[in-house]
Amino acid sequence: MKPQDVKFSNRDQSRFFPVLRHRVDLYFKQKSLSKLGNQSLVWKGLFMLGLLLLPYGLILTNQFPPWACLGFAVAMGLGTAGVGMAVMHDANHGSFSSVSWINTLFSGSLYLVGGNVLNWKIQHNTLHHTYTNIHDVDEDITGKFLLRLSPGDPHRKIHCYQHLYAFFLYGLMTLSFLVKDFRQAYKYTHQKDKKPNQAFSRLDIGILISGKALYLVFIAVLPLLMTDLSFGKWLLGFLVMHLTAGVVLSTIFQLAHVVEGARHPVPDTQGQLETSWAIHQLQTTANFQCPVALSWFIGGLDYQIEHHLFPTISHIHYRALAPIVQQTAQEYALPYNRKPSFFYALRSHIRMLRGLGEK
């Protein structure tokens, strides 16, 4: 099914979101707050970039033994995840700052971790946020071959073991950017009806190619030229960095949508879903409780319900908005899927992997 074929058609349910939006707007008005990020978020962004770039700089000094460089690679992996969740994510939603060039600057941090901004905006902002957990439309849960994250995907025998090997494959997430971005750019450009996506212009293709080339210079050429690391030692550090980043990023994202209680709605033959967009987000998304420090590091993605309902509001506000969203959902007898802890959500995800692997 194509994205443009899917329609949210239940107008009776649409009263929920105007009420919720009014209450959220009232919160910001009473508190005299901007919905966007503030100076503390800029400092947070600089910290996350430092967590990625400082260990990289130490490696380039060629003053440390291989075991220390391996530790730096782990730190770079955490920095990559931090940049992904707490910097470029808000920036690409336009919520990092009220200053457009600051949003553009920090959204470009995606290039430092091997990604592409336009691809991200199409796959994440447009497809995932609009058609969450809908098979063949939400690319986050569709067509993973060795992973069955959607009931709509075909079942293969190997999926029976996916709860055992899934987290290793999650570690390949950022590494896959090096190839996946080209495949997606071709798909978005050559599909017959491009709506709601946009074709890549020649400039976009140039940015894609040059971005990958510069990333390879950054992550491979300079370390091999400026240090005594052998190719084998560099490759080990490269893989450790990406596995660290991929496991952290993928796990956090999966705990929002592939957990018990998060639905995978199926449109009818006409592409109709008997719900409104906002309620669809409640039905397909979950929060999880976690310590404040972890919430800070993962960019507030423990509050994915609030993020999906208000993606252009900065994550620094989600903790305060959560009680408003939960209360309003309860008033309308709607689900509010909140797991009591990170590890509870993780176990729920593993049970989902096992269940999807058996069917």
Side-chain angles (χ1 to χ4, degrees):
M1 181 167 292
K2 299 177 182 178
Q4 63 269 24
D5 295 332
V6 179
K7 301 293 186 296
F8 301 98
S9 59
N10 193 327
R11 294 184 178 181
D12 290 339
Q13 292 183 342
S14 63
R15 292 173 294 177
F16 157 75
F17 194 54
V19 171
L20 175 61
R21 187 165 48 199
H22 171 73
R23 292 175 178 179
V24 168
D25 289 343
L26 188 61
Y27 165 82
F28 284 102
K29 183 177 181 180
Q30 291 176 340
K31 299 287 184 179
S32 298
L33 293 173
S34 167
K35 294 180 180 180
L36 305 177
N38 53 26
Q39 187 175 5
S40 68
L41 188 54
V42 174
W43 285 113
K44 180 179 182 177
L46 294 175
F47 172 85
M48 294 300 181
L49 288 167
L51 186 58
L52 169 64
L53 296 176
L54 180 59
Y56 173 78
L58 292 174
I59 291 172
L60 292 187
T61 65
N62 202 31
Q63 299 297 311
F64 297 90
W67 63 264
C69 291
L70 194 61
F72 294 149
V74 173
M76 287 181 67
L78 293 175
T80 297
V83 167
M85 294 181 293
V87 182
M88 78 86 185
H89 187 224
D90 270 33
N92 278 304
H93 277 294
S95 63
F96 188 86
S97 170
S98 58
V99 182
S100 60
W101 70 264
I102 293 179
N103 273 321
T104 301
L105 177 66
F106 280 92
S107 70
S109 63
L110 181 56
Y111 296 113
L112 283 175
V113 300
N116 176 266
V117 169
L118 181 54
N119 258 333
W120 175 269
K121 288 183 176 180
I122 294 173
Q123 179 183 336
H124 183 78
N125 293 12
T126 300
L127 298 179
H128 172 65
H129 269 271
T130 306
Y131 310 105
T132 312
N133 276 17
I134 298 178
H135 180 255
D136 267 347
V137 185
D138 183 357
E139 296 183 7
D140 283 7
I141 52 99
T142 300
K144 304 300 182 184
F145 185 67
L146 292 177
L147 289 172
R148 187 171 186 255
L149 303 177
S150 166
D153 270 347
H155 181 269
R156 297 181 175 87
K157 289 184 179 179
I158 194 171
H159 292 148
C160 295
Y161 308 101
Q162 67 175 2
H163 59 287
L164 301 177
Y165 63 74
F167 290 91
F168 171 75
L169 295 181
Y170 291 168
L172 304 179
M173 175 187 175
T174 53
L175 191 59
S176 72
F177 287 165
L178 296 176
V179 176
K180 184 179 73 171
D181 280 334
F182 289 100
R183 175 178 56 81
Q184 287 181 322
Y186 181 88
K187 173 184 175 182
Y188 298 148
T189 301
H190 290 86
Q191 57 193 15
K192 291 183 179 179
D193 189 340
K194 298 178 179 63
K195 295 179 180 180
N197 306 329
Q198 67 182 87
F200 274 58
S201 67
R202 290 185 178 180
L203 176 61
D204 296 326
I205 294 295
I207 292 172
L208 173 62
I209 294 172
S210 59
K212 299 304 178 187
L214 289 173
Y215 179 71
L216 289 176
V217 170
F218 167 76
I219 206 65
V221 176
L222 291 181
L224 288 171
L225 286 178
M226 298 178 64
T227 72
D228 296 331
L229 291 173
S230 66
F231 178 81
K233 290 176 181 177
W234 168 85
L235 181 61
L236 177 61
F238 175 76
L239 293 175
V240 165
M241 179 194 72
H242 276 289
L243 287 171
T244 301
V247 167
V248 174
L249 283 166
S250 292
T251 299
I252 295 301
F253 285 129
Q254 297 293 7
L255 298 190
H257 304 292
V258 189
V259 292
E260 294 158 313
R263 294 178 54 195
H264 292 255
V266 179
D268 64 22
T269 56
Q270 303 300 314
Q272 301 291 324
L273 282 168
E274 289 296 323
T275 188
S276 66
W277 170 84
I279 294 176
H280 176 79
Q281 301 308 312
L282 289 176
Q283 293 172 342
T284 57
T285 310
N287 288 359
F288 60 87
Q289 177 76 19
C290 72
V292 174
L294 178 59
S295 179
W296 180 87
F297 178 75
I298 65 175
L301 293 179
D302 45 329
Y303 292 98
Q304 283 273 10
I305 294 174
E306 287 67 32
H307 173 59
H308 268 255
L309 289 170
F310 300 100
T312 58
I313 294 179
S314 173
H315 74 262
I316 63 175
H317 302 295
Y318 291 155
R319 182 180 295 272
L321 297 182
I324 301 173
V325 176
Q326 184 173 13
Q327 178 184 344
T328 308
Q330 290 172 346
E331 289 176 10
Y332 282 83
L334 296 171
Y336 187 86
N337 191 356
R338 178 177 177 272
K339 307 305 183 189
S341 72
F342 170 82
F343 290 106
Y344 186 98
L346 184 61
R347 289 192 295 270
S348 180
H349 173 59
I350 293 171
R351 287 193 293 267
M352 280 292 293
L353 287 174
R354 190 192 300 267
L356 287 166
E358 292 174 350
K359 297 179 182 178

